[in-house]
Amino acid sequence: MRDPIVDLREIARLLDRHGGQSRRAKAFRNAADVLAGLPGTERARVDAAGAWATLPGIGTTTAKVIGQAHAGRTPDYLAELQATDGPLVAGPNPLLEHIRGDLHTHTEWSDGSSTLEEMALEAARLGREWLAITDHSPRLRIANGLSTERRREQREHIAALNEALRQAQGTGDAAFRVLPGAEVDILDDGSLDGEPEALDPLDVVVASVHSKLSMDADAMTVRMVTAIANPRTNVLGHCTGRLVSGDRGVRARSSFDAEVVFEACRQFDVAVEINSRPERQDPPDDLLALAADMGCLFSIDTDAHAPGQLGFSEYGAARAASVGLDPERIVTCWPVERVLAWATMSN
């Protein structure tokens, strides 16, 4: 018998990998959670009756997957996805092999769909050496932003996970490492959303604009530069806020003086994020080329909200290569100790 929980989660991963934030992926993940919560005797009873679809959270499609897995078959749905899986970017992608980590990811602590552990395991499976968890700041209530107390609890959770990873690794190579971080709202006046006691202990802070994206260009420029100059900021996230596709529709990019903003990033050693989500592709090509020409540092980030989306770095790596970036200028191509030293120096 195959493990249907493994199959359901693999289907969710593949759907996320090829479709971004997908309601279908969430349905398969929820079904796996339902199944994992069933006592063994109840699971055997439902299987014998062929009654998986009678359980809350399990529909016709997920019930078929479970039934086929219990029968020892590769579920048809999974086989179809595996047959069409492959690189997200056609042709050579030379920077991809240099990527060691990711500075912008989300978990179920805010608006992600998976646990810290699931995100870390998938990042390690992809060959990453480290992963920053950057759940949202408190003002972004729609995304379940973390209060100061919840941020402290998450840091403790990450510390415990890192200790478990060290023990599992033993005395060989360095263990995979999870970095406590935050994606912090840039408020209207350029200040960062979050109390110092929440932000100061973090390894990394991604500062992003999430509100009033159509603000006057001069005011937006001042807003962004003020945030970049804040010693706590390490990465400028999805700088234009645009959306080019996806479930949330299309959104025009914000207006600001890009030369002034990128010069501030260069002066304050703040990395410009290459947001790898296919619906963002932020910065746009012209601004990416400008920031590259101006000598900025970059961070190729997935902005992943589920394990399957950690593979979006393929898109970001290809875009970075298109403007001739060298791994030395991409902080997510650095070993973790160098990343931590850079982040500390900018504080």
Side-chain angles (χ1 to χ4, degrees):
M1 183 182 74
R2 295 173 63 93
D3 187 342
I5 296 174
V6 172
D7 285 345
L8 288 165
R9 294 198 186 282
E10 179 62 6
I11 289 170
R13 186 189 73 82
L14 290 169
L15 288 172
D16 278 321
R17 172 173 167 79
H18 292 281
Q21 288 179 300
S22 166
R23 292 186 180 89
R24 287 185 300 161
K26 186 175 181 180
F28 284 96
R29 197 173 288 109
N30 287 344
D33 291 340
V34 170
L35 200 57
L38 280 182
T41 53
E42 177 66 6
R43 186 165 158 178
R45 183 192 70 78
V46 176
D47 184 46
W52 293 112
T54 65
L55 297 177
I58 295 180
T60 302
T61 302
T62 49
K64 182 178 179 181
V65 168
I66 296 169
Q68 290 177 335
H70 267 281
R73 290 178 50 194
T74 300
D76 295 340
Y77 201 111
L78 176 58
E80 291 172 7
L81 290 173
Q82 290 174 330
T84 57
D85 187 32
L88 298 177
V89 175
N93 200 351
L95 279 177
L96 185 61
E97 66 183 46
H98 294 279
I99 294 179
R100 296 172 180 253
D102 194 325
L103 286 174
H104 185 175
T105 68
H106 299 277
T107 73
E108 63 182 6
W109 281 75
S110 63
D111 61 343
S113 61
S114 299
T115 65
L116 276 161
E117 289 80 1
E118 288 172 318
M119 295 294 282
L121 287 171
E122 177 63 10
R125 191 189 72 81
L126 289 172
R128 306 293 179 257
E129 299 172 7
W130 53 268
L131 179 75
I133 300 296
T134 55
D135 282 309
H136 289 284
S137 59
R139 174 171 166 167
L140 208 62
R141 294 179 183 176
I142 193 172
N144 193 28
L146 275 64
S147 65
T148 298
E149 177 60 23
R150 291 183 66 221
R151 188 74 66 188
R152 181 189 62 78
E153 292 173 359
Q154 188 183 68
R155 291 200 316 272
E156 293 174 353
H157 189 141
I158 290 172
L161 175 57
N162 279 330
E163 179 58 30
L165 290 169
R166 280 192 293 270
Q167 291 182 5
Q169 188 72 30
T171 58
D173 296 335
F176 181 88
R177 185 163 173 180
V178 180
L179 308 182
E183 183 184 16
V184 174
D185 264 16
I186 299 175
L187 304 182
D188 295 357
D189 63 356
S191 58
L192 301 184
D193 178 34
E195 300 295 329
E197 54 266 38
L199 301 183
D200 288 349
L202 299 176
D203 286 339
V204 63
V205 168
V206 178
S208 307
V209 173
H210 288 104
S211 62
K212 297 186 179 179
L213 293 168
S214 59
M215 178 182 283
D216 171 79
D218 289 342
M220 182 65 85
T221 301
V222 172
R223 179 184 183 185
M224 295 173 74
V225 169
T226 300
I228 292 164
N230 189 310
R232 187 56 277 205
T233 299
N234 304 116
V235 179
L236 176 63
H238 47 71
C239 64
T240 75
R242 75 170 185 172
L243 294 172
V244 298
S245 64
D247 295 342
R248 290 182 288 173
V250 176
R251 183 169 63 211
R253 70 195 208 182
S254 296
S255 297
F256 53 88
D257 190 323
E259 288 191 21
V260 171
V261 167
F262 293 150
E263 177 60 19
C265 288
R266 193 181 70 81
Q267 290 283 349
F268 290 100
D269 213 21
V270 167
V272 176
E273 177 179 75
I274 300 176
N275 189 290
S276 302
R277 295 196 67 85
E279 73 271 24
R280 285 194 180 275
Q281 300 177 39
D282 205 359
D285 290 346
D286 59 328
L287 297 189
L288 177 58
L290 176 63
D293 288 344
M294 291 180 64
C296 293
L297 284 177
F298 291 87
S299 179
I300 296 174
D301 295 327
T302 61
D303 195 356
H305 287 65
Q309 296 170 12
L310 289 167
F312 288 169
S313 52
E314 292 182 43
Y315 295 126
R319 297 194 68 220
S322 74
V323 293
L325 289 180
D326 184 274
E328 277 296 301
R329 288 177 60 189
I330 303 170
V331 295
T332 41
C333 293
W334 297 352
V336 67
E337 294 303 334
R338 183 177 176 186
V339 171
L340 293 173
W342 160 74
T344 300
M345 285 177 61
S346 63
N347 290 347

